[in-house]
Amino acid sequence: MAEALSIGANIVKGVGGFVASRQQSKVLKRQAREEENAGALQSLRIREQARKVIGEQLAGQSSNGFMGGTGSALDALTESQANAALDAMTIIRDAGTKAKALRSEAKMKRTEGYFSLASGMLGAASSVAGMKDDWAQAGQGSSAQHQGGAS
């Protein structure tokens, strides 16, 4: 009876590890998508804010009597646009890097699940082999007693 419980426990442990790893992998993949979505949203916000600031700069230049969008005023606007674009790209890159790391971790979790399942099945097979060996030894011991008692 204990051997049968050992076989069942190994199988349950292996399947449980496999199922848990699949769930963890799904969660990590979902987090990766959320990171990318959050990065894209933050990038859009930066661009919107930059357009607002650039518009205010242009209006400020014109209100001070400068000819807006020319000379050093144009340089200031160009610099603001470049900085906003760099900030947006940095956020997208960082979100992509986090997402890639999460997907890599998800892949490792799935691999761990397969190893857990294989380990459980090997443990069950080992228990079965041990039971057969015990039965064989028990059978030899009882037949030897019967043979020894008959002589």
Side-chain angles (χ1 to χ4, degrees):
M1 182 67 168
E3 290 87 3
L5 288 175
S6 175
I7 293 168
N10 280 314
I11 291 172
V12 168
K13 181 180 177 185
V15 170
F18 179 75
V19 170
S21 73
R22 301 284 268 194
Q23 185 61 32
Q24 291 169 344
S25 177
K26 286 179 185 179
V27 168
L28 289 166
K29 286 180 181 180
R30 191 176 315 120
Q31 286 177 340
R33 283 190 305 273
E34 289 172 4
E35 282 290 337
E36 289 172 332
N37 291 340
L41 183 61
Q42 193 174 1
S43 174
L44 285 174
R45 286 184 183 142
I46 285 174
R47 290 177 183 177
E48 287 173 4
Q49 185 180 12
R51 280 191 292 271
K52 180 182 174 187
V53 168
I54 290 169
E56 290 172 356
Q57 281 179 328
L58 192 55
Q61 291 170 359
S62 298
S63 69
N64 288 331
F66 290 110
M67 180 174 256
T70 62
S72 62
L74 180 60
D75 291 342
L77 294 174
T78 302
E79 185 178 342
S80 294
Q81 285 179 322
N83 287 336
L86 286 173
D87 289 346
M89 288 185 337
T90 299
I91 287 171
I92 294 292
R93 185 195 67 224
D94 289 348
T97 300
K98 288 178 188 175
K100 184 177 179 179
L102 288 166
R103 284 191 181 96
S104 178
E105 188 177 349
K107 186 176 180 180
M108 286 190 304
K109 289 292 181 187
R110 288 177 70 89
T111 301
E112 286 174 12
Y114 286 116
F115 281 112
S116 179
L117 183 61
S119 175
M121 295 302 138
L122 288 172
S126 175
S127 294
V128 168
M131 281 176 46
K132 286 183 180 180
D133 198 30
D134 289 346
W135 287 341
Q137 287 178 5
Q140 287 175 353
S142 62
S143 65
Q145 286 177 344
H146 290 300
Q147 289 174 355
S151 1

